[in-house]
Amino acid sequence: MKTTVSIVGGSGYGGGELLRVLLAHPCVEVQQVTSRSHLGEYVYQIHPNLRKRTQLKFSEPAALEPADVLFLAQPHGQAQHHIEEYAKLAPKIIDLSSDFRLKDPAVYEKWYGEKHTAPEWLSKFVYGLPELHRAEMARANYVSGVGCNATASNLALLPLVKADLLDLSAPIYIEIKVGSSESGVEGNAGSHHAERANVIRTFSAFGHRHTAEVTQELGVHDVSLTMTAVDLVRGALATAHAKTKPGVTTKDLWKAYRAVANENLFLRIVKEQRGIYRVPEPKILAGTNYADLGFELDETNGHVIAICAIDNLMKGASGSAVQCMNLMMGWEETTGLEFIGLHPI
Amino acid sequence: MKTTVSIVGGSGYGGGELLRVLLAHPCVEVQQVTSRSHLGEYVYQIHPNLRKRTQLKFSEPAALEPADVLFLAQPHGQAQHHIEEYAKLAPKIIDLSSDFRLKDPAVYEKWYGEKHTAPEWLSKFVYGLPELHRAEMARANYVSGVGCNATASNLALLPLVKADLLDLSAPIYIEIKVGSSESGVEGNAGSHHAERANVIRTFSAFGHRHTAEVTQELGVHDVSLTMTAVDLVRGALATAHAKTKPGVTTKDLWKAYRAVANENLFLRIVKEQRGIYRVPEPKILAGTNYADLGFELDETNGHVIAICAIDNLMKGASGSAVQCMNLMMGWEETTGLEFIGLHPI
Amino acid sequence: MKTTVSIVGGSGYGGGELLRVLLAHPCVEVQQVTSRSHLGEYVYQIHPNLRKRTQLKFSEPAALEPADVLFLAQPHGQAQHHIEEYAKLAPKIIDLSSDFRLKDPAVYEKWYGEKHTAPEWLSKFVYGLPELHRAEMARANYVSGVGCNATASNLALLPLVKADLLDLSAPIYIEIKVGSSESGVEGNAGSHHAERANVIRTFSAFGHRHTAEVTQELGVHDVSLTMTAVDLVRGALATAHAKTKPGVTTKDLWKAYRAVANENLFLRIVKEQRGIYRVPEPKILAGTNYADLGFELDETNGHVIAICAIDNLMKGASGSAVQCMNLMMGWEETTGLEFIGLHPI
Amino acid sequence: MKTTVSIVGGSGYGGGELLRVLLAHPCVEVQQVTSRSHLGEYVYQIHPNLRKRTQLKFSEPAALEPADVLFLAQPHGQAQHHIEEYAKLAPKIIDLSSDFRLKDPAVYEKWYGEKHTAPEWLSKFVYGLPELHRAEMARANYVSGVGCNATASNLALLPLVKADLLDLSAPIYIEIKVGSSESGVEGNAGSHHAERANVIRTFSAFGHRHTAEVTQELGVHDVSLTMTAVDLVRGALATAHAKTKPGVTTKDLWKAYRAVANENLFLRIVKEQRGIYRVPEPKILAGTNYADLGFELDETNGHVIAICAIDNLMKGASGSAVQCMNLMMGWEETTGLEFIGLHPI
């Protein structure tokens, strides 16, 4: 018998992507998908890729029934108000929003500008990046989502931090380029195609909220995320500039990256001497759960560039969430996440 | 034990797409992929989406070994020279090129400008569109590929022709808009991104070779294909303008379309009154084997517009080819072709 | 002393484009630009290209002062309510909206779904396409705008109609592909970049309102416009499918096109045998007032394809409006419209 | 009488852009444009925007005649071989290539990998960025071009360097995002639209040749350029990360930027609190000679982000070259460079 899963808030991009993956997942059955704004509509009317794949309709959040696993895919700031109710409906909950990512209520308040309304729940959630918390997930009931830009940053730096190769007294500048799906299904004034097409728009110089997740998860403090929108729908590329400790060589970096890639099926090293695709690029990752990693070291001065490409809706959101579910349920980590990715695209 | 398949000419876009699908196909094992120009390279160096999914290298065409199924994915005009050799290596052959699509050698010569070198083989091949030749494929050893633009045209018109709703004395004008992957991995002078981006370029007014496949398969003669390149990588949309017989109503069309969609799992009708996706669009089909169909009838004058959207590399090439293999082998028609498609994209 | 011009409704795309052209026009001085929604803001905050070129701010419509020429660039349906007031403020008015394009109030009501509120004004306006009404404009006080898709259609067919080469008993199907600026500064649900990028979206099969302008201006009745959105910001391409009279040859068409191109400085024939740019393409027209024309004839059956590419915001709106002003004021027709266009782009 | 100018190597993107600007320049007459590969063709066949604007044909380089000003727009490494001949044909020469940008032959050899063949000419050339060398240009006969990425970098940092606000002991990391026209008319393997569309491709981590121009012109030594290709044709955005001296405030930066913008007509500060266009963006600069500057300072740690957006073919190449000519000839600096730029685009 299949595991029943329901999605709260299924009409956004994250919810739609979850649905796409879960409908094809061999171990689960999607039971309910809620949406207040699209109540009663077929899910394929909002997510047109699902046509002829499901006859599910969006249902009333208030009519949510018990399920084995509950995915929360609402806008930020909502899950914390209802977590007690949700916990009564399902033994396992994965929340894609930012409500339960940060451990410290003070840190949450600093970055989100308001008091957390369920601070006692923060410690119950495991941060939802399997590459950092795989073991804990096996026994977790509550797992948070991840910020897409935090994920690109965390995975870019992971091999360097894990192998302790960085000089943490130097600042880390992370330049992140992102597609338009990051602005969500509602978008904003600048989302109109006529304004958003062809852009190279550095919309946030410092202070992006996902910075808090990088600091919390990697323990790096002098770090900034600079966000630039480019003409793409899906995808994010983080390029981190940092300094290595004295004497660190390219060979050391290869070793560190290989170790991490060997332990994690969804991490791939892309560092080729020829061909068109020599470095990580998000476009070929659309729909996949891969994070492609690359690096370059200037041995003369220790300047290291660490690159990570992801699909922000998959590895940066719904893909990681399903990967977490697989770990929580004891299934193969890659189940339902086998899509290879398209080329050309 | 899995069925062994090999691909001749695997470094092009069609070959790469075949590989992507076949590597994830539960019933087959990819044995060899040949490429003269990339001999000895890992296939993932050319098709970067395949990284960490296969360690296959491109092999010498001359070293091709026997296999259960052989896919030919070479440029047009090559398969006909080697078909005798290939037939000795594999009992079942699917040729994606245009070499064995047309039944009449005279028609081939007219459209391709040169004599066919293996005319006796033309009658041995079944035209590779399952929606037209499903029954024959179950007992076929040789199946041709399909022209991507022919496929979009044939499937756009299929419900109307099958239900005999068209006034064939009126001309049929098919406007086809296509992405840049149609020009192949080599491209042409106009393929440079700086020239090809942002285009609306009507590169062929009449006389596109795929016209011959529409005439042959649907029996329509006064038909023209007008080709316009637009800024997209994958995808083709055919919009056919035709005249219905007197008295035909929108209700008749619904009936005709529903009949065809019910018989064919990869055909979907898209005709919504609300939402963003009311008509067939290729972008959400990238990587899928669907053909989405739509129509609109002006009952005052019988002007009907029949629309078909496909991914030119899938339903228009490699996807149909795998669908044919499934039918030839007696497997579920959708095996390996279950990918749902992405939204947003 | 310069001619004073004011713009009513200057915060939309049409108004912004007018401003760009008028600020660089040697004979005029822009006096006022009104906008209710952006009252008091610098115009460069909405039209960022105007930074450091003007310190104008948007002013209150109610505070509009007398001017030599008034451009109305409001949404459709507004000018007709205020035309009496405007006529008191300026001796010459050019209205870019659709309010005064159609001569017959009944035709207006049919296409726009409501009664015209100033029907007595319809006959006072000259239809704003100089290529059709140049002589009248020299003595006109009131000139309407043009529909961008109507303009692409009218100019595509103009040489054929003028030389009487068409068999008007056959239907004319015009396929028009357009960029996202056509949906206006407000856009619609489908304008979000994540939904609008990569589209080939046939959003209107028949019944586009601009059809009425084609019928009125060219006297063709069995004509339909089919609209498809593609991934581009500025630009429209019309591809008209029609039938020539018996015996018409390609040579006849060349003669007809050359005659029209010789009489009209902004019309260019694009029909090359080599190179990348063999046919009319909108992308190189961005910011220019050109309409590029092309054609192809199948002499075996009289099927003619007539193509016209324009920048919808220029020749399809603001550029034609300035061209009209030049004619109304007795200036060189090309004044202020000399921009050459960019390549590559 | 107009000043005669000729262009050597006019079939590339830089040459085409020069032609576009010079054909509309009121003080000059374009006399000859050479191209070996397109000998005898009309220039509008290669640069389709020039149709109906000039009947010039490409001529033989060997047939170059004397002119008042000679623009060299050849691929890098050619001008140095022919500079003696060119100097006999024209009293004033502007070379867009990289041959005469670097003052020190050893630096040239280090970055370009080969000995300079005319090192004695290096000191005769003024570096072609008017914002740095305006006074010298008034009396110069020979002016070099500028690297487009160097220009974006130099102008991003100019206000900070000029006001001596930077802590030069900290490294400067410049992240540059660029469009596809930067790869030149020939492109490279990755230029095929199907591969180049949708990219975020960090093709050069360090060691870009333009770095040498930043070091030479600004006197900064610990500086690196990281290059990322994005989906755009024209445009480059440089985002420089640096450290200010202790105590530097946002107010100090405003002062430094205003001073530089006041002295330079083509520099604009873009730093808005509302609206869509709050920061410099290249898309609205297409065809213009503007460089838009922005900045953001984290006063808590001195991390400053300095942004510069340009059209790489204009301010980054041909526009700056024409601006240099204006200064060399004693004309208004902005002559022929008045194009306002398009919005939306």
Side-chain angles (χ1 to χ4, degrees):
Chain A
M1 209 178 111
K2 290 194 174 184
T3 296
T4 57
V5 304
S6 291
I7 301 173
V8 178
S11 61
Y13 289 155
E17 192 67 358
L18 262 182
L19 256 173
R20 177 184 74 81
V21 174
L22 293 175
L23 286 171
H25 194 293
C27 313
V28 310
E29 188 185 335
V30 181
Q31 187 176 262
Q32 273 184 301
V33 189
T34 76
S35 165
R36 201 163 279 129
S37 50
H38 294 284
L39 204 62
E41 292 180 58
Y42 286 107
V43 298
Y44 68 73
Q45 291 182 291
I46 303 306
H47 307 302
N49 50 333
L50 305 182
R51 185 181 294 272
K52 222 171 174 172
R53 298 303 279 262
T54 175
Q55 290 301 107
L56 269 175
K57 291 179 175 182
F58 289 112
S59 59
E60 177 74 62
L64 199 64
E65 293 165 24
D68 297 325
V69 181
L70 206 56
F71 285 94
L72 310 179
Q74 301 157 291
H76 301 316
Q78 303 202 6
Q80 56 188 284
H81 291 285
H82 302 283
I83 187 65
E84 297 281 356
E85 306 156 40
Y86 295 144
K88 285 172 194 149
L89 290 171
K92 300 207 180 273
I93 293 178
I94 299 167
D95 173 35
L96 277 72
S97 84
S98 57
D99 281 21
F100 300 104
R101 294 180 197 161
L102 301 177
K103 297 297 145 208
D104 183 342
V107 172
Y108 179 87
E109 190 174 344
K110 176 188 161 199
W111 289 93
Y112 288 87
E114 50 186 16
K115 275 209 168 337
H116 200 284
T117 62
E120 69 282 11
W121 278 85
L122 291 176
S123 60
K124 300 184 187 171
F125 274 79
V126 173
Y127 184 78
L129 194 61
E131 285 74 12
L132 292 174
H133 301 282
R134 185 173 286 116
E136 297 156 72
M137 286 175 186
R139 45 182 195 277
N141 289 325
Y142 305 113
V143 170
S144 78
V146 289
C148 46
N149 305 309
T151 298
S153 301
N154 282 332
L155 294 177
L157 295 173
L158 179 60
L160 300 172
V161 168
K162 213 166 172 184
D164 196 19
L165 299 175
L166 291 184
D167 170 1
L168 291 179
S169 72
I172 301 173
Y173 301 145
I174 310 184
E175 279 261 343
I176 305 180
K177 298 94 182 172
V178 301
S180 58
S181 60
E182 279 215 1
S183 65
V185 76
E186 298 296 339
N188 53 50
S191 299
H192 187 316
H193 181 273
E195 309 294 348
R196 181 65 175 70
N198 297 312
V199 299
I200 312 180
R201 182 178 290 163
T202 300
F203 64 91
S204 172
F206 322 106
H208 192 283
R209 287 166 166 182
H210 292 180
T211 312
E213 297 173 46
V214 179
T215 294
Q216 171 180 291
E217 295 298 319
L218 294 189
V220 295
H221 292 274
D222 193 355
V223 61
S224 72
L225 275 61
T226 302
M227 306 295 308
T228 300
V230 299
D231 196 346
L232 181 70
V233 173
R234 267 183 196 238
L237 186 86
T239 312
H241 296 260
K243 283 278 183 188
T244 56
K245 291 184 170 167
V248 168
T249 64
T250 296
K251 215 170 167 179
D252 297 326
L253 268 67
W254 267 113
K255 207 175 143 190
Y257 276 79
R258 284 204 180 105
V260 165
N262 286 341
E263 284 166 16
N264 294 284
L265 284 165
F266 289 113
L267 304 192
R268 305 188 294 193
I269 305 170
V270 183
K271 191 166 164 52
E272 298 285 334
Q273 298 304 314
R274 51 181 295 190
I276 296 172
Y277 295 86
R278 307 179 188 197
V279 290
E281 282 196 43
K283 74 172 197 159
I284 58 163
L285 303 184
T288 81
N289 200 45
Y290 289 115
D292 281 357
L293 307 182
F295 63 90
E296 206 71 45
L297 173 65
D298 183 343
E299 293 191 351
T300 67
N301 59 15
H303 179 191
V304 63
I305 287 175
I307 301 179
C308 175
I310 58 170
D311 175 346
N312 55 301
L313 295 177
M314 283 294 295
K315 187 65 195 160
S318 306
S320 277
V322 172
Q323 191 182 348
C324 291
M325 174 184 72
N326 290 342
L327 290 163
M328 291 163 82
M329 303 300 292
W331 300 328
E332 276 294 312
E333 192 169 339
T334 54
T335 314
L337 298 168
E338 300 91 345
F339 179 58
I340 286 183
L342 301 175
H343 171 254
I345 188 167
Chain B
M1 211 178 110
K2 291 196 172 183
T3 296
T4 58
V5 305
S6 291
I7 301 173
V8 179
S11 61
Y13 288 154
E17 192 67 357
L18 262 182
L19 254 174
R20 176 182 74 80
V21 175
L22 294 174
L23 286 172
H25 194 295
C27 313
V28 310
E29 188 186 335
V30 181
Q31 187 176 262
Q32 275 183 300
V33 188
T34 75
S35 166
R36 203 164 277 129
S37 49
H38 293 285
L39 203 63
E41 292 180 56
Y42 285 107
V43 297
Y44 69 72
Q45 292 181 292
I46 303 305
H47 306 304
N49 51 332
L50 305 183
R51 183 181 296 271
K52 220 169 176 173
R53 296 304 277 262
T54 176
Q55 290 299 108
L56 267 174
K57 291 180 174 182
F58 289 112
S59 60
E60 177 74 63
L64 198 64
E65 292 165 25
D68 296 326
V69 180
L70 205 56
F71 285 94
L72 309 179
Q74 300 157 291
H76 300 316
Q78 303 202 4
Q80 56 188 283
H81 291 286
H82 302 284
I83 186 64
E84 297 281 357
E85 306 157 41
Y86 295 143
K88 286 174 192 146
L89 291 171
K92 299 207 180 275
I93 294 177
I94 299 168
D95 173 36
L96 276 73
S97 83
S98 57
D99 281 21
F100 299 104
R101 295 179 197 161
L102 301 177
K103 298 294 146 208
D104 183 341
V107 172
Y108 178 87
E109 189 174 345
K110 178 189 159 196
W111 288 93
Y112 289 87
E114 51 186 17
K115 274 208 170 336
H116 200 285
T117 62
E120 69 282 11
W121 277 84
L122 292 176
S123 61
K124 301 184 187 173
F125 273 80
V126 173
Y127 184 77
L129 194 61
E131 286 73 14
L132 292 174
H133 301 283
R134 186 173 286 116
E136 297 156 71
M137 285 174 186
R139 44 181 196 276
N141 289 324
Y142 306 114
V143 169
S144 78
V146 290
C148 46
N149 305 309
T151 298
S153 301
N154 283 331
L155 294 178
L157 295 172
L158 179 61
L160 300 171
V161 168
K162 213 165 172 184
D164 196 19
L165 298 175
L166 291 184
D167 171 1
L168 293 178
S169 73
I172 301 173
Y173 301 144
I174 309 183
E175 278 260 344
I176 305 179
K177 298 93 180 170
V178 301
S180 58
S181 60
E182 279 215 0
S183 65
V185 76
E186 298 295 339
N188 53 50
S191 299
H192 186 317
H193 180 273
E195 309 295 349
R196 182 65 176 70
N198 298 312
V199 299
I200 312 179
R201 182 177 290 162
T202 300
F203 64 91
S204 172
F206 322 105
H208 193 283
R209 288 167 166 181
H210 292 179
T211 312
E213 298 173 46
V214 180
T215 295
Q216 170 180 291
E217 295 299 319
L218 294 189
V220 296
H221 292 274
D222 193 356
V223 62
S224 72
L225 275 61
T226 303
M227 306 294 310
T228 300
V230 299
D231 195 346
L232 181 71
V233 172
R234 269 184 195 235
L237 185 86
T239 312
H241 296 261
K243 283 278 183 190
T244 56
K245 290 184 171 168
V248 168
T249 64
T250 296
K251 217 170 164 179
D252 298 326
L253 268 67
W254 268 113
K255 207 175 140 189
Y257 276 80
R258 285 204 180 104
V260 164
N262 287 340
E263 283 168 17
N264 294 284
L265 285 164
F266 289 114
L267 304 191
R268 305 188 294 193
I269 305 171
V270 183
K271 192 167 165 51
E272 298 285 335
Q273 298 304 314
R274 50 180 296 189
I276 295 171
Y277 295 86
R278 306 178 188 197
V279 290
E281 282 195 45
K283 74 172 196 157
I284 57 163
L285 304 183
T288 82
N289 198 46
Y290 288 114
D292 280 358
L293 307 183
F295 64 89
E296 207 69 45
L297 173 65
D298 184 342
E299 294 190 351
T300 67
N301 59 16
H303 178 191
V304 64
I305 286 174
I307 300 179
C308 175
I310 58 169
D311 174 345
N312 56 300
L313 295 178
M314 282 294 294
K315 188 65 195 162
S318 306
S320 277
V322 172
Q323 192 182 349
C324 291
M325 175 185 71
N326 289 342
L327 290 163
M328 292 164 82
M329 303 300 292
W331 301 328
E332 275 295 310
E333 192 169 338
T334 54
T335 314
L337 299 168
E338 298 92 346
F339 180 58
I340 285 184
L342 302 175
H343 170 254
I345 187 168
Chain C
M1 212 177 110
K2 291 196 172 183
T3 296
T4 57
V5 305
S6 290
I7 301 173
V8 179
S11 60
Y13 289 154
E17 192 67 357
L18 262 182
L19 255 173
R20 176 183 73 81
V21 174
L22 294 175
L23 286 172
H25 193 293
C27 312
V28 310
E29 187 186 335
V30 181
Q31 187 177 264
Q32 275 184 299
V33 188
T34 75
S35 166
R36 201 164 280 128
S37 50
H38 293 284
L39 203 62
E41 292 182 56
Y42 285 107
V43 298
Y44 69 72
Q45 291 181 292
I46 303 306
H47 306 303
N49 50 333
L50 305 183
R51 184 181 295 272
K52 222 171 175 171
R53 296 304 278 262
T54 176
Q55 289 301 108
L56 269 174
K57 290 179 175 183
F58 289 112
S59 59
E60 177 74 62
L64 198 64
E65 293 165 25
D68 296 326
V69 180
L70 206 56
F71 285 93
L72 309 179
Q74 301 158 291
H76 300 316
Q78 304 203 4
Q80 56 188 285
H81 291 285
H82 302 283
I83 186 65
E84 298 282 356
E85 307 157 38
Y86 295 144
K88 285 174 194 149
L89 291 171
K92 299 206 180 275
I93 294 178
I94 299 168
D95 173 35
L96 276 73
S97 84
S98 58
D99 281 20
F100 300 103
R101 294 179 197 162
L102 300 177
K103 298 296 144 207
D104 183 342
V107 172
Y108 179 88
E109 190 174 344
K110 177 188 159 196
W111 289 94
Y112 289 87
E114 51 186 17
K115 273 209 171 334
H116 201 284
T117 62
E120 68 282 11
W121 277 85
L122 292 176
S123 61
K124 299 184 188 174
F125 274 80
V126 174
Y127 183 78
L129 193 62
E131 286 73 13
L132 292 175
H133 301 283
R134 185 173 287 118
E136 296 157 72
M137 285 175 186
R139 44 181 197 278
N141 289 324
Y142 305 114
V143 170
S144 78
V146 289
C148 46
N149 305 310
T151 298
S153 300
N154 282 331
L155 294 177
L157 294 173
L158 180 60
L160 300 171
V161 168
K162 214 166 171 183
D164 197 20
L165 298 175
L166 292 183
D167 171 1
L168 293 178
S169 73
I172 301 174
Y173 301 144
I174 310 184
E175 278 261 344
I176 304 180
K177 296 95 181 171
V178 301
S180 58
S181 59
E182 279 214 2
S183 65
V185 75
E186 298 297 339
N188 52 50
S191 299
H192 187 317
H193 181 273
E195 308 295 350
R196 181 64 176 71
N198 298 312
V199 298
I200 312 179
R201 181 178 291 163
T202 299
F203 63 92
S204 172
F206 324 104
H208 192 281
R209 289 167 166 183
H210 292 180
T211 312
E213 298 172 47
V214 180
T215 294
Q216 171 180 289
E217 295 298 319
L218 294 188
V220 295
H221 292 273
D222 192 355
V223 60
S224 72
L225 275 61
T226 302
M227 307 295 309
T228 300
V230 299
D231 195 345
L232 181 71
V233 173
R234 269 183 194 237
L237 186 86
T239 311
H241 295 261
K243 282 278 183 189
T244 57
K245 290 184 171 167
V248 168
T249 64
T250 296
K251 216 171 166 179
D252 297 326
L253 268 69
W254 267 113
K255 209 175 139 187
Y257 275 80
R258 284 202 180 107
V260 164
N262 286 340
E263 283 167 17
N264 294 285
L265 284 164
F266 289 114
L267 304 191
R268 305 189 293 194
I269 306 170
V270 183
K271 191 167 164 50
E272 300 284 335
Q273 298 305 314
R274 50 180 296 188
I276 295 171
Y277 294 86
R278 307 179 188 197
V279 290
E281 281 195 44
K283 72 174 199 156
I284 58 164
L285 304 183
T288 82
N289 199 44
Y290 288 113
D292 281 357
L293 308 182
F295 63 89
E296 207 69 46
L297 174 65
D298 183 342
E299 293 190 352
T300 67
N301 59 15
H303 178 192
V304 62
I305 286 174
I307 301 179
C308 175
I310 58 170
D311 175 345
N312 56 301
L313 294 177
M314 282 295 295
K315 188 66 195 159
S318 305
S320 277
V322 171
Q323 191 182 349
C324 291
M325 176 184 71
N326 289 342
L327 289 164
M328 292 164 82
M329 303 300 292
W331 301 328
E332 276 293 312
E333 193 169 339
T334 55
T335 314
L337 298 168
E338 299 92 346
F339 180 58
I340 286 184
L342 301 175
H343 171 253
I345 189 169
Chain D
M1 212 179 109
K2 291 196 172 182
T3 296
T4 57
V5 305
S6 290
I7 300 172
V8 179
S11 60
Y13 288 154
E17 192 66 358
L18 261 183
L19 254 173
R20 177 183 73 80
V21 174
L22 294 174
L23 286 171
H25 193 293
C27 313
V28 310
E29 189 187 334
V30 181
Q31 187 176 262
Q32 274 184 300
V33 188
T34 75
S35 166
R36 202 163 277 129
S37 50
H38 293 284
L39 204 61
E41 291 181 58
Y42 286 107
V43 297
Y44 70 72
Q45 292 182 292
I46 302 306
H47 306 303
N49 51 333
L50 305 183
R51 185 181 295 271
K52 221 170 175 174
R53 296 304 277 263
T54 176
Q55 290 302 108
L56 269 174
K57 291 180 174 181
F58 289 111
S59 60
E60 176 75 60
L64 198 65
E65 291 165 26
D68 297 326
V69 180
L70 206 56
F71 285 94
L72 310 179
Q74 301 157 290
H76 300 317
Q78 303 201 5
Q80 57 187 283
H81 291 286
H82 303 282
I83 186 64
E84 297 281 356
E85 307 156 40
Y86 294 144
K88 286 174 193 148
L89 290 171
K92 300 208 180 274
I93 294 178
I94 299 167
D95 173 36
L96 276 74
S97 84
S98 57
D99 282 20
F100 299 104
R101 293 180 197 161
L102 301 177
K103 298 296 145 209
D104 183 341
V107 172
Y108 179 87
E109 189 174 346
K110 176 188 161 198
W111 289 93
Y112 288 87
E114 51 186 15
K115 274 207 169 339
H116 201 285
T117 62
E120 68 283 10
W121 277 84
L122 291 176
S123 60
K124 300 184 187 172
F125 274 80
V126 173
Y127 184 77
L129 193 62
E131 285 72 14
L132 291 175
H133 301 282
R134 187 174 286 117
E136 297 157 71
M137 285 175 186
R139 43 183 197 276
N141 290 323
Y142 305 112
V143 170
S144 79
V146 289
C148 46
N149 305 310
T151 297
S153 301
N154 283 331
L155 295 177
L157 294 173
L158 180 60
L160 300 172
V161 169
K162 214 166 169 182
D164 196 19
L165 299 175
L166 292 184
D167 170 2
L168 292 178
S169 72
I172 302 173
Y173 300 144
I174 309 183
E175 278 261 343
I176 303 179
K177 297 92 180 171
V178 300
S180 58
S181 60
E182 279 215 3
S183 66
V185 75
E186 299 295 339
N188 52 49
S191 299
H192 187 316
H193 181 273
E195 308 295 349
R196 181 64 175 71
N198 298 313
V199 298
I200 312 179
R201 181 178 291 162
T202 299
F203 64 91
S204 171
F206 322 105
H208 192 282
R209 287 166 167 183
H210 292 181
T211 312
E213 297 173 46
V214 179
T215 294
Q216 171 180 290
E217 294 299 319
L218 294 188
V220 296
H221 292 274
D222 193 356
V223 60
S224 72
L225 276 61
T226 302
M227 306 294 310
T228 300
V230 299
D231 195 345
L232 181 71
V233 173
R234 267 184 196 237
L237 185 86
T239 310
H241 296 261
K243 283 278 184 190
T244 56
K245 291 183 171 168
V248 169
T249 64
T250 296
K251 215 171 167 179
D252 298 325
L253 268 68
W254 267 113
K255 206 174 142 190
Y257 276 81
R258 285 204 180 104
V260 164
N262 286 339
E263 284 166 18
N264 294 284
L265 286 164
F266 290 113
L267 304 191
R268 305 188 294 194
I269 305 171
V270 183
K271 189 165 165 55
E272 300 285 334
Q273 298 304 314
R274 48 181 297 190
I276 296 171
Y277 294 86
R278 308 179 187 196
V279 290
E281 281 195 44
K283 74 173 197 156
I284 59 163
L285 304 183
T288 82
N289 200 45
Y290 288 115
D292 281 357
L293 307 183
F295 63 90
E296 207 69 47
L297 173 65
D298 184 342
E299 293 190 351
T300 67
N301 59 16
H303 178 190
V304 64
I305 286 175
I307 301 180
C308 175
I310 58 169
D311 174 346
N312 56 300
L313 294 177
M314 282 295 293
K315 189 65 195 160
S318 305
S320 277
V322 171
Q323 191 182 349
C324 291
M325 176 184 71
N326 289 342
L327 289 163
M328 292 164 82
M329 303 300 292
W331 301 330
E332 276 294 311
E333 193 169 338
T334 56
T335 315
L337 299 168
E338 299 91 347
F339 180 58
I340 285 183
L342 302 175
H343 170 254
I345 187 167

